[in-house]
Amino acid sequence: MFTTEYPEFNWLTPEYIKNLLKAYLKDKSLEIKSLEVKAASGKGESFAGILLRAKISYSTTSSILNETSLILKTQIWNDFTEKTLKVYDIHNKEMIIYEKILPKIRQLLLSIGEKGDIFPTAIHVDRENDVIVFEDLLLKKYQMKNRLQGLDREHALLALSKMAKIHAASAVLYEKDNKIYSSLVSGMFTRHTDCYHTFFRTFWSTCASEVSKWEGFEHYGLKMKQTTEDVIENACKAYDLEDGDFHVLTHGDFWVNNIMFRYDEEGSLKDVVVLDWQYATYASPFVDLFFFIFTSTNDEIRINHADLLQFYHKELTETLKKLKYPKHIPTLLEFRLQYLRKSFLKATSSIIHLPNAINEVTDDSEFESLLLDNEKARRYKNTVLKNPKYRQILEKLLPIFDAEGLLDGPI
Protein backbone atom coordinates (compact mmCIF):
# COMPACT_ATOMS: atom_id res chain seq x y z
CA MET A 1 0.00 0.00 0.00
CA PHE A 2 1.32 3.46 -0.95
CA THR A 3 -0.27 6.72 0.20
CA THR A 4 1.08 10.25 -0.18
CA GLU A 5 -0.06 13.83 0.41
CA TYR A 6 2.28 15.02 -2.35
CA PRO A 7 1.40 13.40 -5.72
CA GLU A 8 3.36 16.17 -7.47
CA PHE A 9 6.57 14.43 -6.40
CA ASN A 10 6.24 11.70 -9.01
CA TRP A 11 9.75 10.44 -8.27
CA LEU A 12 8.72 9.52 -4.71
CA THR A 13 7.62 5.91 -5.18
CA PRO A 14 8.02 2.64 -3.27
CA GLU A 15 10.75 1.70 -5.75
CA TYR A 16 12.64 4.91 -4.96
CA ILE A 17 12.48 4.24 -1.21
CA LYS A 18 13.36 0.56 -1.70
CA ASN A 19 16.57 1.44 -3.55
CA LEU A 20 17.50 3.96 -0.85
CA LEU A 21 17.00 1.46 1.95
CA LYS A 22 18.81 -1.31 0.09
CA ALA A 23 21.89 0.87 -0.18
CA TYR A 24 21.61 2.31 3.33
CA LEU A 25 20.98 -1.03 5.07
CA LYS A 26 23.23 -2.98 2.69
CA ASP A 27 20.58 -5.63 2.10
CA LYS A 28 19.63 -6.43 -1.52
CA SER A 29 16.77 -8.67 -0.43
CA LEU A 30 14.73 -5.78 0.97
CA GLU A 31 11.15 -5.37 -0.27
CA ILE A 32 8.69 -2.57 0.57
CA LYS A 33 5.37 -3.72 2.05
CA SER A 34 3.81 -0.32 2.66
CA LEU A 35 4.77 3.34 2.35
CA GLU A 36 2.99 6.38 3.77
CA VAL A 37 4.27 9.91 3.04
CA LYS A 38 3.00 12.88 5.05
CA ALA A 39 4.13 16.37 5.95
CA ALA A 40 6.72 16.32 8.75
CA SER A 41 6.06 19.89 9.88
CA GLY A 42 2.96 21.99 10.35
CA LYS A 43 1.96 25.22 8.67
CA GLY A 44 4.10 28.10 9.89
CA GLU A 45 6.82 25.77 11.16
CA SER A 46 9.04 25.73 8.07
CA PHE A 47 9.20 28.31 5.27
CA ALA A 48 12.31 27.51 3.22
CA GLY A 49 11.57 23.95 2.20
CA ILE A 50 9.15 21.04 2.44
CA LEU A 51 9.76 18.34 5.04
CA LEU A 52 8.19 14.93 4.46
CA ARG A 53 8.15 11.88 6.72
CA ALA A 54 8.08 8.53 4.93
CA LYS A 55 6.80 5.72 7.16
CA ILE A 56 7.96 2.40 5.75
CA SER A 57 7.19 -1.26 6.36
CA TYR A 58 9.61 -3.65 4.68
CA SER A 59 10.78 -7.24 4.73
CA THR A 60 14.12 -8.97 4.12
CA THR A 61 15.19 -12.58 3.85
CA SER A 62 16.15 -12.49 7.53
CA SER A 63 13.05 -10.68 8.81
CA ILE A 64 9.38 -10.90 7.90
CA LEU A 65 8.43 -7.33 8.81
CA ASN A 66 10.35 -4.22 9.86
CA GLU A 67 9.25 -0.63 10.30
CA THR A 68 11.25 2.55 9.96
CA SER A 69 10.88 6.13 8.77
CA LEU A 70 12.92 8.67 6.84
CA ILE A 71 12.79 12.45 6.51
CA LEU A 72 12.91 13.94 3.03
CA LYS A 73 13.67 17.60 2.51
CA THR A 74 12.69 19.02 -0.86
CA GLN A 75 10.95 21.94 -2.55
CA ILE A 76 8.16 22.61 -5.02
CA TRP A 77 9.59 24.88 -7.71
CA ASN A 78 7.36 27.51 -9.29
CA ASP A 79 7.80 31.06 -10.58
CA PHE A 80 7.95 32.43 -7.04
CA THR A 81 10.39 29.95 -5.50
CA GLU A 82 12.56 30.09 -8.64
CA LYS A 83 12.98 33.83 -8.06
CA THR A 84 13.66 33.53 -4.33
CA LEU A 85 14.90 30.24 -2.92
CA LYS A 86 16.74 29.27 -6.11
CA VAL A 87 18.41 32.69 -6.23
CA TYR A 88 19.52 32.21 -2.63
CA ASP A 89 20.75 28.75 -3.71
CA ILE A 90 19.77 27.34 -0.33
CA HIS A 91 19.02 23.78 -1.42
CA ASN A 92 22.25 23.40 -3.37
CA LYS A 93 24.15 24.92 -0.45
CA GLU A 94 22.65 22.48 2.00
CA MET A 95 23.53 19.56 -0.25
CA ILE A 96 27.14 20.74 -0.35
CA ILE A 97 27.21 21.14 3.41
CA TYR A 98 25.82 17.67 4.15
CA GLU A 99 27.99 16.00 1.51
CA LYS A 100 31.33 17.75 1.93
CA ILE A 101 31.51 19.86 5.09
CA LEU A 102 29.53 18.46 8.00
CA PRO A 103 31.13 14.99 7.72
CA LYS A 104 34.55 16.65 8.15
CA ILE A 105 33.33 18.62 11.15
CA ARG A 106 31.95 15.41 12.62
CA GLN A 107 35.32 13.68 12.14
CA LEU A 108 37.19 16.51 13.85
CA LEU A 109 34.90 16.37 16.86
CA LEU A 110 35.04 12.59 17.03
CA SER A 111 38.84 12.83 17.01
CA ILE A 112 38.75 14.62 20.38
CA GLY A 113 36.20 12.28 21.90
CA GLU A 114 33.03 14.29 21.36
CA LYS A 115 30.04 11.97 21.37
CA GLY A 116 26.44 12.40 20.29
CA ASP A 117 24.82 13.01 16.93
CA ILE A 118 25.82 16.68 16.36
CA PHE A 119 23.52 16.89 13.30
CA PRO A 120 21.27 14.39 11.49
CA THR A 121 22.88 11.94 9.11
CA ALA A 122 22.08 12.56 5.45
CA ILE A 123 21.76 9.09 3.99
CA HIS A 124 21.24 10.27 0.42
CA VAL A 125 21.67 13.50 -1.55
CA ASP A 126 19.64 13.41 -4.77
CA ARG A 127 20.47 16.36 -7.01
CA GLU A 128 18.30 15.16 -9.89
CA ASN A 129 15.13 15.37 -7.78
CA ASP A 130 16.44 18.12 -5.49
CA VAL A 131 15.98 16.19 -2.26
CA ILE A 132 18.05 15.27 0.78
CA VAL A 133 17.05 12.11 2.65
CA PHE A 134 17.80 12.06 6.38
CA GLU A 135 17.57 9.60 9.21
CA ASP A 136 14.44 10.29 11.24
CA LEU A 137 15.64 11.57 14.61
CA LEU A 138 12.33 10.66 16.21
CA LEU A 139 13.56 7.05 16.05
CA LYS A 140 16.43 8.09 18.33
CA LYS A 141 13.97 9.77 20.71
CA TYR A 142 14.93 13.33 19.77
CA GLN A 143 12.12 15.84 19.97
CA MET A 144 11.44 19.48 19.31
CA LYS A 145 10.53 22.03 21.93
CA ASN A 146 7.48 24.24 21.55
CA ARG A 147 8.58 27.30 19.57
CA LEU A 148 6.00 29.42 21.43
CA GLN A 149 7.79 28.83 24.74
CA GLY A 150 11.30 30.22 24.99
CA LEU A 151 14.03 27.81 26.01
CA ASP A 152 15.16 27.86 29.63
CA ARG A 153 18.81 28.09 30.66
CA GLU A 154 19.40 24.34 30.76
CA HIS A 155 18.25 23.84 27.19
CA ALA A 156 19.91 27.04 25.96
CA LEU A 157 23.27 26.11 27.49
CA LEU A 158 23.23 22.64 25.93
CA ALA A 159 22.39 24.09 22.50
CA LEU A 160 25.15 26.69 22.82
CA SER A 161 27.64 24.05 23.94
CA LYS A 162 26.95 22.01 20.80
CA MET A 163 27.14 25.07 18.55
CA ALA A 164 30.39 26.23 20.18
CA LYS A 165 31.97 22.86 19.35
CA ILE A 166 30.66 22.94 15.78
CA HIS A 167 31.96 26.49 15.39
CA ALA A 168 35.36 25.54 16.77
CA ALA A 169 35.69 22.58 14.42
CA SER A 170 34.60 24.74 11.47
CA ALA A 171 37.31 27.31 12.29
CA VAL A 172 39.95 24.57 12.41
CA LEU A 173 38.63 23.16 9.12
CA TYR A 174 39.02 26.60 7.51
CA GLU A 175 42.67 26.73 8.57
CA LYS A 176 43.20 23.38 6.84
CA ASP A 177 41.43 24.53 3.65
CA ASN A 178 40.59 28.22 3.30
CA LYS A 179 38.47 27.59 0.21
CA ILE A 180 36.15 25.03 1.81
CA TYR A 181 33.35 27.58 2.40
CA SER A 182 33.83 29.44 -0.90
CA SER A 183 30.47 28.29 -2.29
CA LEU A 184 28.59 29.49 0.81
CA VAL A 185 28.62 33.17 -0.07
CA SER A 186 25.18 34.32 1.07
CA GLY A 187 23.84 34.26 4.60
CA MET A 188 20.36 35.39 5.63
CA PHE A 189 21.44 39.02 5.08
CA THR A 190 23.50 39.40 1.95
CA ARG A 191 24.41 41.82 -0.82
CA HIS A 192 24.51 38.99 -3.39
CA THR A 193 20.74 39.15 -3.94
CA ASP A 194 17.92 41.47 -2.92
CA CYS A 195 15.11 38.89 -3.10
CA TYR A 196 14.63 38.90 0.71
CA HIS A 197 15.02 42.64 1.11
CA THR A 198 11.28 43.32 0.83
CA PHE A 199 10.73 40.88 3.70
CA PHE A 200 13.28 42.62 5.91
CA ARG A 201 12.21 46.20 5.15
CA THR A 202 8.46 45.63 5.31
CA PHE A 203 8.66 43.79 8.62
CA TRP A 204 10.80 46.57 10.08
CA SER A 205 8.53 49.34 8.75
CA THR A 206 5.30 47.53 9.72
CA CYS A 207 6.68 47.00 13.21
CA ALA A 208 7.63 50.69 13.34
CA SER A 209 4.04 51.64 12.49
CA GLU A 210 2.70 49.30 15.16
CA VAL A 211 5.12 50.56 17.84
CA SER A 212 4.15 54.15 16.99
CA LYS A 213 0.64 53.36 18.26
CA TRP A 214 1.84 52.18 21.68
CA GLU A 215 1.46 54.81 24.36
CA GLY A 216 4.88 55.89 25.59
CA PHE A 217 6.72 54.16 22.75
CA GLU A 218 5.93 56.59 19.93
CA HIS A 219 9.51 57.90 19.74
CA TYR A 220 10.87 54.37 19.22
CA GLY A 221 8.43 53.86 16.36
CA LEU A 222 9.53 57.16 14.80
CA LYS A 223 13.19 56.18 15.06
CA MET A 224 12.48 52.85 13.42
CA LYS A 225 10.57 54.50 10.57
CA GLN A 226 13.47 56.86 9.96
CA THR A 227 16.00 54.00 9.80
CA THR A 228 14.07 51.56 7.59
CA GLU A 229 16.33 52.19 4.61
CA ASP A 230 19.43 51.48 6.74
CA VAL A 231 18.32 48.04 7.94
CA ILE A 232 19.73 45.93 5.09
CA GLU A 233 23.16 47.53 5.01
CA ASN A 234 23.49 47.62 8.80
CA ALA A 235 22.74 43.90 8.94
CA CYS A 236 25.03 43.06 6.02
CA LYS A 237 27.88 44.84 7.82
CA ALA A 238 27.39 42.46 10.72
CA TYR A 239 28.06 39.61 8.29
CA ASP A 240 31.19 41.26 6.85
CA LEU A 241 34.55 39.68 7.67
CA GLU A 242 36.64 42.12 9.67
CA ASP A 243 40.39 41.88 10.22
CA GLY A 244 41.19 40.63 13.68
CA ASP A 245 37.75 39.09 14.29
CA PHE A 246 37.15 35.41 14.87
CA HIS A 247 35.10 33.70 12.14
CA VAL A 248 33.33 30.36 11.81
CA LEU A 249 30.89 28.49 9.63
CA THR A 250 27.66 30.00 10.90
CA HIS A 251 24.41 28.07 10.72
CA GLY A 252 22.53 31.25 9.83
CA ASP A 253 19.09 30.11 11.00
CA PHE A 254 19.89 28.83 14.49
CA TRP A 255 16.56 28.86 16.29
CA VAL A 256 14.41 26.47 18.29
CA ASN A 257 12.71 24.84 15.28
CA ASN A 258 16.10 23.84 13.91
CA ILE A 259 17.14 22.13 17.15
CA MET A 260 16.08 18.77 18.61
CA PHE A 261 16.68 17.53 22.16
CA ARG A 262 16.96 14.04 23.61
CA TYR A 263 16.07 13.00 27.17
CA ASP A 264 16.73 9.87 29.20
CA GLU A 265 14.00 7.69 30.69
CA GLU A 266 13.85 9.91 33.79
CA GLY A 267 13.31 12.99 31.64
CA SER A 268 16.79 14.44 32.13
CA LEU A 269 18.22 16.37 29.19
CA LYS A 270 20.98 14.35 27.47
CA ASP A 271 21.80 15.63 23.99
CA VAL A 272 20.96 18.06 21.19
CA VAL A 273 21.27 18.09 17.40
CA VAL A 274 21.24 21.02 14.98
CA LEU A 275 19.18 20.81 11.75
CA ASP A 276 18.74 22.76 8.51
CA TRP A 277 21.96 24.37 7.28
CA GLN A 278 20.67 26.12 4.17
CA TYR A 279 21.66 29.65 5.27
CA ALA A 280 25.17 28.70 6.40
CA THR A 281 28.01 31.07 5.59
CA TYR A 282 31.47 31.97 6.88
CA ALA A 283 31.00 34.91 9.24
CA SER A 284 31.04 36.03 12.88
CA PRO A 285 29.71 33.52 15.43
CA PHE A 286 27.38 36.30 16.60
CA VAL A 287 25.26 35.64 13.48
CA ASP A 288 24.17 32.47 15.29
CA LEU A 289 24.38 33.69 18.88
CA PHE A 290 22.12 36.70 18.46
CA PHE A 291 19.61 34.84 16.30
CA PHE A 292 19.37 32.04 18.85
CA ILE A 293 19.16 34.19 21.98
CA PHE A 294 16.62 36.66 20.63
CA THR A 295 14.32 34.22 18.82
CA SER A 296 14.49 31.10 20.96
CA THR A 297 15.14 31.76 24.65
CA ASN A 298 12.77 32.88 27.38
CA ASP A 299 12.11 36.51 28.24
CA GLU A 300 14.59 36.63 31.12
CA ILE A 301 17.49 35.29 29.04
CA ARG A 302 16.90 37.79 26.23
CA ILE A 303 17.58 40.57 28.72
CA ASN A 304 20.29 38.85 30.75
CA HIS A 305 22.49 36.72 28.52
CA ALA A 306 26.06 37.73 29.43
CA ASP A 307 26.60 34.44 31.26
CA LEU A 308 25.48 32.47 28.18
CA LEU A 309 28.07 34.26 26.07
CA GLN A 310 30.75 33.56 28.69
CA PHE A 311 29.72 29.89 28.71
CA TYR A 312 29.81 29.72 24.89
CA HIS A 313 33.26 31.35 24.88
CA LYS A 314 34.56 28.81 27.40
CA GLU A 315 33.23 25.86 25.37
CA LEU A 316 34.62 27.37 22.17
CA THR A 317 38.05 28.00 23.68
CA GLU A 318 38.36 24.53 25.18
CA THR A 319 37.37 22.87 21.90
CA LEU A 320 39.77 25.01 19.85
CA LYS A 321 42.62 24.05 22.16
CA LYS A 322 41.78 20.34 21.93
CA LEU A 323 41.72 20.63 18.13
CA LYS A 324 45.07 22.50 18.19
CA TYR A 325 43.73 25.62 16.49
CA PRO A 326 46.84 27.35 15.12
CA LYS A 327 45.78 30.99 15.41
CA HIS A 328 45.00 33.38 18.23
CA ILE A 329 41.94 32.44 20.28
CA PRO A 330 40.02 35.57 21.26
CA THR A 331 39.92 36.40 24.93
CA LEU A 332 36.53 36.94 26.49
CA LEU A 333 37.09 40.72 26.35
CA GLU A 334 38.00 40.54 22.65
CA PHE A 335 34.93 38.40 22.12
CA ARG A 336 32.77 40.99 23.88
CA LEU A 337 34.18 43.74 21.66
CA GLN A 338 33.12 41.73 18.61
CA TYR A 339 29.71 41.41 20.28
CA LEU A 340 29.38 45.20 20.26
CA ARG A 341 30.33 45.54 16.59
CA LYS A 342 27.79 42.93 15.51
CA SER A 343 24.99 44.02 17.86
CA PHE A 344 22.65 45.27 15.15
CA LEU A 345 21.69 41.63 14.64
CA LYS A 346 20.02 41.77 18.05
CA ALA A 347 17.55 44.25 16.58
CA THR A 348 16.92 42.36 13.34
CA SER A 349 16.47 39.07 15.20
CA SER A 350 13.93 40.67 17.52
CA ILE A 351 12.06 42.92 15.11
CA ILE A 352 12.07 40.83 11.91
CA HIS A 353 12.43 37.18 12.96
CA LEU A 354 11.03 36.86 16.49
CA PRO A 355 7.41 37.78 15.60
CA ASN A 356 7.36 34.94 13.06
CA ALA A 357 8.91 32.54 15.57
CA ILE A 358 6.16 33.07 18.14
CA ASN A 359 3.24 33.58 15.76
CA GLU A 360 0.20 31.48 16.66
CA VAL A 361 -2.14 32.51 13.81
CA THR A 362 -1.16 30.37 10.81
CA ASP A 363 -3.92 31.27 8.30
CA ASP A 364 -1.52 33.25 6.09
CA SER A 365 1.71 31.56 7.25
CA GLU A 366 3.17 30.90 3.83
CA PHE A 367 6.52 31.75 2.30
CA GLU A 368 4.92 34.35 0.02
CA SER A 369 3.57 36.18 3.07
CA LEU A 370 7.13 36.90 4.15
CA LEU A 371 8.61 38.01 0.86
CA LEU A 372 5.84 39.84 -0.97
CA ASP A 373 4.20 43.19 -0.27
CA ASN A 374 0.62 42.46 -1.27
CA GLU A 375 -2.67 42.42 0.66
CA LYS A 376 -2.18 38.89 2.02
CA ALA A 377 1.42 39.60 3.05
CA ARG A 378 0.44 42.86 4.78
CA ARG A 379 -2.38 41.08 6.59
CA TYR A 380 0.06 38.43 7.81
CA LYS A 381 2.62 40.98 9.02
CA ASN A 382 -0.01 43.04 10.81
CA THR A 383 -1.36 39.91 12.49
CA VAL A 384 1.95 38.61 13.81
CA LEU A 385 3.07 42.06 14.97
CA LYS A 386 -0.15 42.57 16.95
CA ASN A 387 0.55 39.45 18.98
CA PRO A 388 0.21 40.57 22.66
CA LYS A 389 3.09 38.29 23.68
CA TYR A 390 5.34 39.92 21.09
CA ARG A 391 4.41 43.40 22.33
CA GLN A 392 5.34 42.43 25.89
CA ILE A 393 8.76 41.28 24.70
CA LEU A 394 9.46 44.27 22.46
CA GLU A 395 8.43 46.78 25.12
CA LYS A 396 11.32 45.44 27.22
CA LEU A 397 13.83 45.32 24.36
CA LEU A 398 13.29 48.62 22.56
CA PRO A 399 14.60 50.83 25.40
CA ILE A 400 17.73 48.65 25.52
CA PHE A 401 18.24 48.78 21.76
CA ASP A 402 17.75 52.54 21.77
CA ALA A 403 20.23 53.03 24.62
CA GLU A 404 22.76 50.93 22.69
CA GLY A 405 22.38 53.10 19.57
CA LEU A 406 20.83 50.36 17.44
CA LEU A 407 17.92 52.54 16.30
CA ASP A 408 19.98 55.58 15.30
CA GLY A 409 20.62 54.99 11.61
CA PRO A 410 23.68 53.97 9.57
CA ILE A 411 26.31 52.02 11.47
Side-chain angles (χ1 to χ4, degrees):
M1 184 179 72
F2 172 39
T3 61
T4 179
E5 296 178 348
Y6 292 88
E8 57 267 52
F9 297 132
N10 54 21
W11 49 267
L12 182 50
T13 64
E15 188 72 14
Y16 182 89
I17 296 296
K18 180 175 78 171
N19 291 332
L20 279 180
L21 283 178
K22 278 184 175 181
Y24 181 53
L25 299 176
K26 298 180 174 57
D27 190 333
K28 294 182 180 179
S29 71
L30 186 146
E31 294 292 337
I32 300 294
K33 297 301 182 182
S34 69
L35 172 63
E36 180 184 51
V37 179
K38 290 186 175 183
S41 60
K43 192 172 184 181
E45 300 290 335
S46 177
F47 287 102
I50 295 172
L51 291 178
L52 311 176
R53 174 170 283 109
K55 294 185 177 180
I56 308 151
S57 294
Y58 66 93
S59 65
T60 66
T61 54
S62 60
S63 179
I64 297 175
L65 189 64
N66 301 274
E67 293 185 345
T68 191
S69 57
L70 298 171
I71 297 295
L72 296 89
K73 186 172 185 179
T74 187
Q75 181 62 52
I76 295 175
W77 297 113
N78 53 38
D79 288 344
F80 180 74
T81 53
E82 289 272 354
K83 293 175 183 177
T84 53
L85 295 179
K86 191 155 279 190
V87 172
Y88 250 87
D89 200 30
I90 64 173
H91 289 280
N92 180 52
K93 281 173 59 177
E94 194 163 29
M95 289 178 178
I96 291 170
I97 288 167
Y98 275 102
E99 274 188 313
K100 300 179 179 179
I101 296 174
L102 293 185
K104 293 180 180 179
I105 289 176
R106 188 193 303 273
Q107 282 303 119
L108 282 171
L109 292 175
L110 287 173
S111 74
I112 58 171
E114 288 296 332
K115 299 178 181 178
D117 288 292
I118 309 173
F119 17 74
T121 297
I123 69 172
H124 184 62
V125 173
D126 180 353
R127 294 182 180 277
E128 180 180 352
N129 295 303
D130 207 7
V131 61
I132 308 176
V133 183
F134 296 98
E135 62 177 339
D136 188 350
L137 290 171
L138 290 184
L139 300 178
K140 292 184 174 180
K141 308 301 183 184
Y142 283 95
Q143 58 186 271
M144 285 185 155
K145 297 291 287 182
N146 188 336
R147 65 180 172 84
L148 303 178
Q149 300 171 357
L151 297 176
D152 60 22
R153 261 183 164 70
E154 182 186 16
H155 287 81
L157 289 172
L158 186 61
L160 287 174
S161 174
K162 185 62 64 83
M163 187 53 78
K165 292 167 184 175
I166 294 172
H167 280 169
S170 77
V172 171
L173 194 57
Y174 180 82
E175 294 306 312
K176 295 176 182 289
D177 177 6
N178 63 12
K179 295 192 181 339
I180 192 164
Y181 307 130
S182 60
S183 60
L184 312 178
V185 295
S186 58
M188 187 81 72
F189 287 93
T190 179
R191 301 184 187 90
H192 292 279
T193 174
D194 64 357
C195 65
Y196 280 14
H197 289 187
T198 297
F199 163 35
F200 302 141
R201 286 198 189 96
T202 56
F203 249 97
W204 186 279
S205 62
T206 305
C207 186
S209 297
E210 182 64 22
V211 170
S212 296
K213 302 172 187 175
W214 300 350
E215 185 177 355
F217 285 79
E218 297 86 352
H219 60 297
Y220 299 125
L222 177 60
K223 276 193 167 187
M224 290 172 63
K225 285 181 182 178
Q226 293 172 338
T227 58
T228 298
E229 293 307 310
D230 302 315
V231 169
I232 306 299
E233 183 58 24
N234 284 350
C236 285
K237 285 179 179 177
Y239 278 71
D240 287 343
L241 305 179
E242 298 185 46
D243 290 343
D245 275 356
F246 179 74
H247 301 113
V248 300
L249 176 68
T250 62
H251 179 280
D253 195 17
F254 184 42
W255 73 295
V256 66
N257 265 26
N258 288 333
I259 303 166
M260 295 183 77
F261 296 94
R262 182 170 61 82
Y263 305 82
D264 64 18
E265 293 181 357
E266 287 73 42
S268 298
L269 185 57
K270 300 301 292 183
D271 200 10
V272 59
V273 292
V274 183
L275 323 172
D276 292 355
W277 289 78
Q278 63 262 33
Y279 290 103
T281 192
Y282 188 64
S284 166
F286 286 103
V287 166
D288 286 340
L289 297 179
F290 287 142
F291 200 92
F292 174 73
I293 290 170
F294 285 88
T295 64
S296 302
T297 63
N298 63 32
D299 295 350
E300 189 271 328
I301 293 175
R302 284 192 194 92
I303 304 298
N304 304 298
H305 53 263
D307 63 315
L308 268 69
L309 297 176
Q310 184 180 32
F311 171 81
Y312 166 91
H313 178 266
K314 177 176 176 289
E315 296 284 289
L316 177 78
T317 299
E318 290 177 354
T319 309
L320 287 169
K321 288 179 178 178
K322 288 179 183 177
L323 291 169
K324 296 181 171 51
Y325 180 64
K327 298 179 72 174
H328 172 68
I329 299 174
T331 65
L332 181 58
L333 179 58
E334 290 168 336
F335 190 65
R336 293 287 303 185
L337 291 173
Q338 191 171 341
Y339 169 99
L340 292 175
R341 288 194 299 276
K342 306 300 183 180
S343 282
F344 189 72
L345 294 181
K346 296 196 296 187
T348 57
S349 298
S350 303
I351 293 169
I352 295 172
H353 298 289
L354 176 60
N356 295 291
I358 62 173
N359 171 45
E360 298 181 60
V361 182
T362 60
D363 295 353
D364 296 316
S365 291
E366 298 173 356
F367 194 52
E368 291 88 339
S369 298
L370 295 180
L371 299 193
L372 298 181
D373 189 19
N374 55 25
E375 181 180 350
K376 181 178 180 180
R378 286 190 289 272
R379 184 171 64 240
Y380 171 76
K381 294 177 177 70
N382 283 320
T383 297
V384 300
L385 290 167
K386 289 182 184 297
N387 182 346
K389 181 178 179 181
Y390 179 60
R391 175 171 176 170
Q392 291 173 3
I393 294 171
L394 205 57
E395 283 182 342
K396 296 174 184 176
L397 292 176
L398 284 175
I400 297 172
F401 294 162
D402 188 38
E404 293 177 349
L406 302 180
L407 306 180
D408 285 348
I411 293 176

